[in-house]
Amino acid sequence: MAMLSTSLSAAGSKSAATLYSPPNFSGLRRSSCPTLDNPSSNSLHLFDSQLRLPSLSARRPCRAVVAMAGTGKFFVGGNWKCNGTKESITKLVSDLNDAKLESDVDVVVAPPFVYIDQVKSSLTDKIEISAQNSWVSKGGAFTGEISVEQLKDIGAKWVILGHSERRHVIGEDDLFIGKKAAYALNEGLGVIACIGELLEDREAGKTFDVCFTQLKAYADAVPSWDNIVIAYEPVWAIGTGKVASPQQAQEVHAALRDWLKKNVSDEVASKTRIIYGGSVNGGNCAELAKQEDIDGFLVGGASLKGPEFATIVNSVTSKKVAA
Ligand code: PGA
């Protein structure tokens, strides 16, 4: 991790330095609260919550502040990937139905296509259904594909697009992913738009370049940002147990929000949820959730265990800072 952290700093030395200047978040909620621009407030993130609470309350007159730079509701998605059987999914759904979930969170699960119907008909309607992929245009003679229209027909509200496994295992590129996102949004599905750098990109100091390029491909294609959640998922952290540190994740999330501010609008930068994915679990979610630009999570492995997924959903509480 030390190596990764060093190489992210090194990202500032060349290409990222030209693309990325320190964030100026005027207009965002952060402006009335301690800021990353203020080194003393930034250092608050390094302390545990016991140290953090009195420091924050001493600095700000606000009460019951939620430490979020964005204005969107906390969002947690469970990406079940190509896992499960009718039996294991029955158990997972029952555990999710029994779990106590905080109400101020948008919760979504993405079962494999063949189980969506089963999940939709048995899962509490407090949790919405996402697909893990969708076809790039209207359905027809496209063997093996599933159309957006079919997903809507069985009650899906979201689709995950641009996931690293589809980029790097299946070979989907930015242009194709952007077209898929545009089609899904135009037809009324929400899009969980994934981006993220490979380990080699990070080590070469290209983290921001890669993430901004992938984000731009969505920006160039989509009709509006109303129904998009950005999932920043460093590929080296996916399924590896090697989670990004809260500071590493926050740094990229802040840069992505800043990119949206500069290239789309203040409003989109403020309202678009930027969620983190990559080895999130019940043990590390609270520290990550405290970061002000982390608006939730996309969870793989840990979403297959109902109680642990509930812990991750409920990590929203660690964003709330008592007066
Ligand atoms: P992981 O997967 O939580 O198992 O690392 C995350 C994802 O791929 O969305």
Side-chain angles (χ1 to χ4, degrees):
M1 291 309 282
M3 180 177 71
L4 293 168
S5 168
T6 310
S7 45
L8 180 55
S9 312
S13 62
K14 193 164 173 264
S15 45
T18 52
L19 277 166
Y20 179 56
S21 53
N24 166 14
F25 291 97
S26 59
L28 302 187
R29 196 183 300 187
R30 168 183 291 163
S31 59
S32 58
C33 299
T35 69
L36 281 179
D37 307 336
N38 172 349
S40 60
S41 72
N42 191 22
S43 66
L44 291 171
H45 294 293
L46 303 175
F47 299 145
D48 68 24
S49 54
Q50 282 175 330
L51 291 173
R52 194 165 171 260
L53 297 184
S55 308
L56 275 176
S57 57
R59 276 156 198 275
R60 41 174 33 159
C62 342
R63 290 181 190 279
V65 169
V66 177
M68 291 176 85
T71 53
K73 195 170 171 186
F74 203 68
F75 184 106
V76 178
N79 177 6
W80 296 357
K81 306 193 180 183
C82 188
N83 291 297
T85 59
K86 276 202 232 179
E87 196 184 337
S88 71
I89 285 175
T90 300
K91 163 92 172 67
L92 180 50
V93 167
S94 148
D95 287 347
L96 291 173
N97 288 343
D98 290 346
K100 189 180 163 337
L101 302 176
E102 291 291 323
S103 58
D104 49 350
V105 184
D106 285 335
V107 187
V108 171
V109 293
F113 288 128
V114 290
Y115 299 116
I116 287 182
D117 217 15
Q118 178 192 338
V119 174
K120 175 70 188 154
S121 61
S122 55
L123 184 65
T124 166
D125 58 13
K126 288 186 223 144
I127 302 179
E128 292 188 325
I129 305 291
S130 174
Q132 299 176 18
N133 185 30
S134 58
W135 180 235
V136 67
S137 61
K138 199 168 158 51
F142 305 105
T143 303
E145 291 296 335
I146 306 286
S147 73
V148 169
E149 291 78 7
Q150 290 169 327
L151 293 174
K152 287 193 326 189
D153 188 38
I154 54 167
K157 296 273 189 273
W158 294 87
V159 60
I160 298 171
L161 294 173
H163 191 278
S164 76
E165 286 143 20
R166 297 212 61 90
R167 289 177 187 272
H168 301 295
V169 181
I170 316 287
E172 294 188 8
D173 65 16
D174 279 346
L175 198 63
F176 189 56
I177 295 163
K179 281 187 184 152
K180 283 186 171 191
Y183 189 79
L185 289 163
N186 277 326
E187 294 302 312
L189 274 192
V191 170
I192 301 170
C194 302
I195 60 173
E197 82 285 1
L198 295 163
L199 181 60
E200 68 207 50
D201 298 326
R202 180 164 280 250
E203 289 180 338
K206 292 184 181 153
T207 295
F208 292 128
D209 289 354
V210 169
C211 291
F212 294 161
T213 300
Q214 293 176 357
L215 190 54
K216 183 172 185 304
Y218 289 112
D220 288 347
V222 299
S224 123
W225 286 82
D226 286 347
N227 227 354
I228 303 180
V229 170
I230 297 170
Y232 167 59
E233 300 201 297
V235 181
W236 48 268
I238 296 178
T240 58
K242 210 193 238 183
V243 64
S245 70
Q247 291 73 26
Q248 285 176 317
Q250 166 61 24
E251 186 172 19
V252 178
H253 282 230
L256 295 172
R257 203 180 300 284
D258 194 43
W259 190 95
L260 289 175
K261 182 173 157 60
K262 289 190 177 124
N263 295 282
V264 185
S265 71
D266 283 0
E267 194 203 346
V268 166
S270 175
K271 77 178 187 197
T272 302
R273 273 83 60 91
I274 306 176
I275 64 175
Y276 168 80
S279 295
V280 175
N281 61 36
N284 59 32
C285 56
E287 285 306 309
L288 286 160
K290 283 178 193 164
Q291 303 301 311
E292 63 184 314
D293 284 282
I294 296 185
D295 303 322
F297 300 112
L298 185 57
V299 187
S303 71
L304 299 171
K305 296 172 222 146
E308 185 166 10
F309 186 64
T311 300
I312 297 169
V313 168
N314 293 339
S315 69
V316 68
T317 54
S318 67
K319 288 199 101 60
K320 294 175 186 165
V321 181

mmCIF file of all heavy atoms in Angstrom, residues 23-26 28-45 56 59-60 69 250 292-293:
data_model
loop_
_atom_site.group_PDB
_atom_site.id
_atom_site.type_symbol
_atom_site.label_atom_id
_atom_site.label_comp_id
_atom_site.label_asym_id
_atom_site.label_seq_id
_atom_site.Cartn_x
_atom_site.Cartn_y
_atom_site.Cartn_z
ATOM 1 N N PRO A 23 -8.675 21.313 -5.733
ATOM 2 C CA PRO A 23 -10.095 21.589 -5.887
ATOM 3 C C PRO A 23 -10.508 22.932 -5.316
ATOM 4 O O PRO A 23 -10.013 23.351 -4.291
ATOM 5 C CB PRO A 23 -10.758 20.460 -5.089
ATOM 6 C CG PRO A 23 -9.699 19.463 -4.809
ATOM 7 C CD PRO A 23 -8.401 20.171 -4.896
ATOM 8 N N ASN A 24 -11.408 23.586 -6.006
ATOM 9 C CA ASN A 24 -12.061 24.765 -5.458
ATOM 10 C C ASN A 24 -13.547 24.434 -5.438
ATOM 11 O O ASN A 24 -14.182 24.327 -6.463
ATOM 12 C CB ASN A 24 -11.786 25.962 -6.376
ATOM 13 C CG ASN A 24 -12.701 27.116 -6.045
ATOM 14 O OD1 ASN A 24 -13.335 27.110 -4.989
ATOM 15 N ND2 ASN A 24 -12.783 28.075 -6.938
ATOM 16 N N PHE A 25 -14.072 24.222 -4.249
ATOM 17 C CA PHE A 25 -15.424 23.682 -4.166
ATOM 18 C C PHE A 25 -16.468 24.713 -3.799
ATOM 19 O O PHE A 25 -17.479 24.393 -3.226
ATOM 20 C CB PHE A 25 -15.466 22.543 -3.151
ATOM 21 C CG PHE A 25 -14.720 21.343 -3.615
ATOM 22 C CD1 PHE A 25 -13.422 21.129 -3.204
ATOM 23 C CD2 PHE A 25 -15.305 20.440 -4.477
ATOM 24 C CE1 PHE A 25 -12.739 20.027 -3.642
ATOM 25 C CE2 PHE A 25 -14.606 19.335 -4.914
ATOM 26 C CZ PHE A 25 -13.328 19.128 -4.503
ATOM 27 N N SER A 26 -16.213 25.986 -4.147
ATOM 28 C CA SER A 26 -17.226 26.971 -3.786
ATOM 29 C C SER A 26 -18.533 26.581 -4.457
ATOM 30 O O SER A 26 -18.558 26.151 -5.600
ATOM 31 C CB SER A 26 -16.793 28.355 -4.231
ATOM 32 O OG SER A 26 -16.601 28.357 -5.609
ATOM 33 N N LEU A 28 -20.330 24.118 -3.427
ATOM 34 C CA LEU A 28 -20.676 22.797 -2.913
ATOM 35 C C LEU A 28 -20.842 22.895 -1.409
ATOM 36 O O LEU A 28 -20.429 23.848 -0.781
ATOM 37 C CB LEU A 28 -19.570 21.801 -3.238
ATOM 38 C CG LEU A 28 -19.262 21.659 -4.719
ATOM 39 C CD1 LEU A 28 -18.288 20.525 -4.927
ATOM 40 C CD2 LEU A 28 -20.516 21.413 -5.509
ATOM 41 N N ARG A 29 -21.438 21.853 -0.842
ATOM 42 C CA ARG A 29 -21.719 21.891 0.585
ATOM 43 C C ARG A 29 -20.450 22.085 1.394
ATOM 44 O O ARG A 29 -20.432 22.673 2.453
ATOM 45 C CB ARG A 29 -22.387 20.575 0.986
ATOM 46 C CG ARG A 29 -23.047 20.671 2.336
ATOM 47 C CD ARG A 29 -23.631 19.361 2.751
ATOM 48 N NE ARG A 29 -24.622 18.888 1.820
ATOM 49 C CZ ARG A 29 -25.360 17.813 2.070
ATOM 50 N NH1 ARG A 29 -25.217 17.136 3.170
ATOM 51 N NH2 ARG A 29 -26.241 17.407 1.202
ATOM 52 N N ARG A 30 -19.346 21.577 0.855
ATOM 53 C CA ARG A 30 -18.082 21.675 1.557
ATOM 54 C C ARG A 30 -17.703 23.123 1.896
ATOM 55 O O ARG A 30 -17.007 23.377 2.858
ATOM 56 C CB ARG A 30 -17.012 21.063 0.667
ATOM 57 C CG ARG A 30 -15.640 21.332 1.104
ATOM 58 C CD ARG A 30 -14.662 20.748 0.138
ATOM 59 N NE ARG A 30 -14.671 19.328 0.175
ATOM 60 C CZ ARG A 30 -14.153 18.580 -0.780
ATOM 61 N NH1 ARG A 30 -13.629 19.109 -1.837
ATOM 62 N NH2 ARG A 30 -14.170 17.290 -0.674
ATOM 63 N N SER A 31 -18.184 24.096 1.114
ATOM 64 C CA SER A 31 -17.722 25.465 1.281
ATOM 65 C C SER A 31 -18.023 26.018 2.671
ATOM 66 O O SER A 31 -17.312 26.860 3.158
ATOM 67 C CB SER A 31 -18.330 26.375 0.213
ATOM 68 O OG SER A 31 -19.726 26.322 0.325
ATOM 69 N N SER A 32 -19.074 25.519 3.321
ATOM 70 C CA SER A 32 -19.382 26.051 4.631
ATOM 71 C C SER A 32 -18.791 25.184 5.732
ATOM 72 O O SER A 32 -19.043 25.382 6.897
ATOM 73 C CB SER A 32 -20.893 26.143 4.811
ATOM 74 O OG SER A 32 -21.434 24.860 4.641
ATOM 75 N N CYS A 33 -18.021 24.205 5.347
ATOM 76 C CA CYS A 33 -17.496 23.263 6.317
ATOM 77 C C CYS A 33 -15.980 23.198 6.179
ATOM 78 O O CYS A 33 -15.417 23.780 5.265
ATOM 79 C CB CYS A 33 -18.100 21.880 6.048
ATOM 80 S SG CYS A 33 -19.885 21.884 6.207
ATOM 81 N N PRO A 34 -15.289 22.478 7.044
ATOM 82 C CA PRO A 34 -13.840 22.335 6.891
ATOM 83 C C PRO A 34 -13.512 21.810 5.503
ATOM 84 O O PRO A 34 -14.227 20.963 4.979
ATOM 85 C CB PRO A 34 -13.484 21.300 7.952
ATOM 86 C CG PRO A 34 -14.561 21.426 8.972
ATOM 87 C CD PRO A 34 -15.798 21.775 8.203
ATOM 88 N N THR A 35 -12.450 22.320 4.904
ATOM 89 C CA THR A 35 -12.189 21.994 3.511
ATOM 90 C C THR A 35 -10.853 21.322 3.323
ATOM 91 O O THR A 35 -9.955 21.453 4.147
ATOM 92 C CB THR A 35 -12.181 23.268 2.646
ATOM 93 O OG1 THR A 35 -11.026 24.006 3.007
ATOM 94 C CG2 THR A 35 -13.424 24.087 2.841
ATOM 95 N N LEU A 36 -10.747 20.629 2.202
ATOM 96 C CA LEU A 36 -9.468 20.039 1.847
ATOM 97 C C LEU A 36 -8.454 21.124 1.522
ATOM 98 O O LEU A 36 -7.266 20.916 1.588
ATOM 99 C CB LEU A 36 -9.621 19.126 0.622
ATOM 100 C CG LEU A 36 -10.206 17.755 0.897
ATOM 101 C CD1 LEU A 36 -10.299 16.997 -0.412
ATOM 102 C CD2 LEU A 36 -9.384 16.992 1.888
ATOM 103 N N ASP A 37 -8.966 22.295 1.125
ATOM 104 C CA ASP A 37 -8.048 23.384 0.802
ATOM 105 C C ASP A 37 -7.367 23.909 2.067
ATOM 106 O O ASP A 37 -6.362 24.574 2.021
ATOM 107 C CB ASP A 37 -8.806 24.566 0.168
ATOM 108 C CG ASP A 37 -9.632 24.104 -1.002
ATOM 109 O OD1 ASP A 37 -9.286 23.073 -1.582
ATOM 110 O OD2 ASP A 37 -10.623 24.767 -1.326
ATOM 111 N N ASN A 38 -8.014 23.610 3.195
ATOM 112 C CA ASN A 38 -7.478 24.050 4.466
ATOM 113 C C ASN A 38 -6.721 22.889 5.099
ATOM 114 O O ASN A 38 -7.334 21.925 5.536
ATOM 115 C CB ASN A 38 -8.667 24.477 5.355
ATOM 116 C CG ASN A 38 -8.231 24.758 6.761
ATOM 117 O OD1 ASN A 38 -7.106 24.455 7.147
ATOM 118 N ND2 ASN A 38 -9.135 25.323 7.535
ATOM 119 N N PRO A 39 -5.398 22.939 5.113
ATOM 120 C CA PRO A 39 -4.625 21.797 5.563
ATOM 121 C C PRO A 39 -5.007 21.345 6.961
ATOM 122 O O PRO A 39 -5.045 20.166 7.244
ATOM 123 C CB PRO A 39 -3.172 22.293 5.533
ATOM 124 C CG PRO A 39 -3.189 23.536 4.705
ATOM 125 C CD PRO A 39 -4.583 24.078 4.757
ATOM 126 N N SER A 40 -5.358 22.240 7.823
ATOM 127 C CA SER A 40 -5.656 21.802 9.174
ATOM 128 C C SER A 40 -6.947 21.003 9.204
ATOM 129 O O SER A 40 -7.091 20.056 9.947
ATOM 130 C CB SER A 40 -5.724 22.976 10.138
ATOM 131 O OG SER A 40 -6.742 23.842 9.718
ATOM 132 N N SER A 41 -7.908 21.362 8.328
ATOM 133 C CA SER A 41 -9.131 20.571 8.311
ATOM 134 C C SER A 41 -8.904 19.243 7.623
ATOM 135 O O SER A 41 -9.457 18.236 8.010
ATOM 136 C CB SER A 41 -10.267 21.337 7.626
ATOM 137 O OG SER A 41 -10.047 21.400 6.252
ATOM 138 N N ASN A 42 -8.053 19.236 6.590
ATOM 139 C CA ASN A 42 -7.756 17.982 5.905
ATOM 140 C C ASN A 42 -7.177 16.967 6.880
ATOM 141 O O ASN A 42 -7.487 15.792 6.837
ATOM 142 C CB ASN A 42 -6.769 18.256 4.764
ATOM 143 C CG ASN A 42 -6.612 17.075 3.842
ATOM 144 O OD1 ASN A 42 -7.491 16.219 3.793
ATOM 145 N ND2 ASN A 42 -5.509 17.030 3.128
ATOM 146 N N SER A 43 -6.360 17.456 7.784
ATOM 147 C CA SER A 43 -5.720 16.538 8.702
ATOM 148 C C SER A 43 -6.725 15.891 9.640
ATOM 149 O O SER A 43 -6.454 14.878 10.249
ATOM 150 C CB SER A 43 -4.644 17.268 9.512
ATOM 151 O OG SER A 43 -5.260 18.221 10.345
ATOM 152 N N LEU A 44 -7.925 16.459 9.700
ATOM 153 C CA LEU A 44 -8.946 15.836 10.539
ATOM 154 C C LEU A 44 -9.234 14.417 10.098
ATOM 155 O O LEU A 44 -9.562 13.555 10.903
ATOM 156 C CB LEU A 44 -10.258 16.625 10.456
ATOM 157 C CG LEU A 44 -10.258 18.006 11.099
ATOM 158 C CD1 LEU A 44 -11.537 18.715 10.729
ATOM 159 C CD2 LEU A 44 -10.129 17.880 12.604
ATOM 160 N N HIS A 45 -9.119 14.184 8.796
ATOM 161 C CA HIS A 45 -9.453 12.860 8.278
ATOM 162 C C HIS A 45 -8.519 11.788 8.800
ATOM 163 O O HIS A 45 -8.787 10.614 8.701
ATOM 164 C CB HIS A 45 -9.413 12.857 6.754
ATOM 165 C CG HIS A 45 -10.469 13.731 6.176
ATOM 166 N ND1 HIS A 45 -11.804 13.452 6.295
ATOM 167 C CD2 HIS A 45 -10.385 14.901 5.524
ATOM 168 C CE1 HIS A 45 -12.501 14.398 5.713
ATOM 169 N NE2 HIS A 45 -11.663 15.289 5.241
ATOM 170 N N LEU A 56 -14.312 19.116 14.993
ATOM 171 C CA LEU A 56 -15.254 19.667 14.029
ATOM 172 C C LEU A 56 -16.239 20.607 14.711
ATOM 173 O O LEU A 56 -16.523 21.679 14.217
ATOM 174 C CB LEU A 56 -16.039 18.525 13.357
ATOM 175 C CG LEU A 56 -15.359 17.887 12.173
ATOM 176 C CD1 LEU A 56 -16.200 16.729 11.678
ATOM 177 C CD2 LEU A 56 -15.160 18.901 11.064
ATOM 178 N N ARG A 59 -15.015 23.900 15.205
ATOM 179 C CA ARG A 59 -14.762 24.723 14.024
ATOM 180 C C ARG A 59 -16.023 25.234 13.364
ATOM 181 O O ARG A 59 -16.015 26.191 12.651
ATOM 182 C CB ARG A 59 -14.053 23.863 12.972
ATOM 183 C CG ARG A 59 -12.601 23.794 13.188
ATOM 184 C CD ARG A 59 -12.080 22.520 12.531
ATOM 185 N NE ARG A 59 -10.793 22.216 13.082
ATOM 186 C CZ ARG A 59 -9.680 22.744 12.632
ATOM 187 N NH1 ARG A 59 -9.689 23.566 11.628
ATOM 188 N NH2 ARG A 59 -8.544 22.452 13.196
ATOM 189 N N ARG A 60 -17.102 24.510 13.482
ATOM 190 C CA ARG A 60 -18.265 24.903 12.698
ATOM 191 C C ARG A 60 -19.467 25.090 13.600
ATOM 192 O O ARG A 60 -19.656 24.364 14.542
ATOM 193 C CB ARG A 60 -18.553 23.834 11.640
ATOM 194 C CG ARG A 60 -18.392 22.467 12.200
ATOM 195 C CD ARG A 60 -18.770 21.328 11.331
ATOM 196 N NE ARG A 60 -18.583 21.409 9.922
ATOM 197 C CZ ARG A 60 -18.521 20.318 9.187
ATOM 198 N NH1 ARG A 60 -18.566 19.124 9.729
ATOM 199 N NH2 ARG A 60 -18.419 20.412 7.901
ATOM 200 N N ALA A 69 -19.405 16.151 0.571
ATOM 201 C CA ALA A 69 -19.182 17.271 -0.334
ATOM 202 C C ALA A 69 -20.328 17.332 -1.341
ATOM 203 O O ALA A 69 -20.719 18.403 -1.782
ATOM 204 C CB ALA A 69 -17.854 17.108 -1.060
ATOM 205 N N GLN A 250 -10.425 9.106 -1.210
ATOM 206 C CA GLN A 250 -10.899 10.501 -1.125
ATOM 207 C C GLN A 250 -10.205 11.380 -2.165
ATOM 208 O O GLN A 250 -10.829 12.222 -2.803
ATOM 209 C CB GLN A 250 -10.666 11.044 0.292
ATOM 210 C CG GLN A 250 -10.780 12.554 0.452
ATOM 211 C CD GLN A 250 -12.149 13.139 0.100
ATOM 212 O OE1 GLN A 250 -13.155 12.430 0.145
ATOM 213 N NE2 GLN A 250 -12.180 14.407 -0.280
ATOM 214 N N GLU A 292 -15.355 12.870 2.856
ATOM 215 C CA GLU A 292 -16.480 13.705 2.440
ATOM 216 C C GLU A 292 -16.875 13.569 0.974
ATOM 217 O O GLU A 292 -18.002 13.903 0.619
ATOM 218 C CB GLU A 292 -16.260 15.160 2.815
ATOM 219 C CG GLU A 292 -15.105 15.836 2.164
ATOM 220 C CD GLU A 292 -14.943 17.258 2.709
ATOM 221 O OE1 GLU A 292 -15.952 17.960 2.807
ATOM 222 O OE2 GLU A 292 -13.816 17.642 3.007
ATOM 223 N N ASP A 293 -15.997 13.075 0.127
ATOM 224 C CA ASP A 293 -16.405 12.885 -1.275
ATOM 225 C C ASP A 293 -16.826 11.454 -1.575
ATOM 226 O O ASP A 293 -17.085 11.125 -2.732
ATOM 227 C CB ASP A 293 -15.270 13.325 -2.206
ATOM 228 C CG ASP A 293 -15.198 14.853 -2.283
ATOM 229 O OD1 ASP A 293 -16.015 15.438 -3.000
ATOM 230 O OD2 ASP A 293 -14.363 15.443 -1.580
#
